Amino acid sequence: GEWMMTELKPCPFCGGEAREDTFEVVTKYRRRTVDAVICQCGGMAIGFDKSDAIKTWNRRANDDK
């Protein structure tokens, strides 16, 4: 999609390649689709939208943010 302009950093946990994904979250009252970046090791970042998920994924503990 149009949001691949932002490069995904390697997984902070295993160094593996991450990919974008969406999945459905079903609560007692509603169902919604969530954008996420995931790695096969189980690392995951969830966002309000795709760019937010990527931003969260790419943020690192040693960043000055």
Side-chain angles (χ1 to χ4, degrees):
E2 83 289 343
W3 58 293
M4 278 311 294
M5 291 178 292
T6 308
E7 184 104 4
L8 287 171
K9 291 184 181 178
C11 177
F13 306 108
C14 74
E17 192 176 314
R19 65 182 175 89
E20 313 85 50
D21 200 4
T22 58
F23 56 95
E24 283 205 332
V25 175
V26 181
T27 65
K28 186 174 175 183
Y29 304 106
R30 63 193 184 121
R31 167 193 307 249
R32 59 183 286 233
T33 301
V34 177
D35 289 300
V37 177
I38 62 172
C39 177
Q40 73 273 357
C41 80
M44 178 186 292
I46 298 173
F48 299 112
D49 55 35
K50 288 180 164 70
S51 62
D52 189 48
I54 292 175
K55 208 179 303 172
T56 301
W57 177 265
N58 284 343
R59 190 167 51 225
R60 294 295 187 258
N62 58 359
D63 283 354
D64 301 325
K65 296 185 185 71

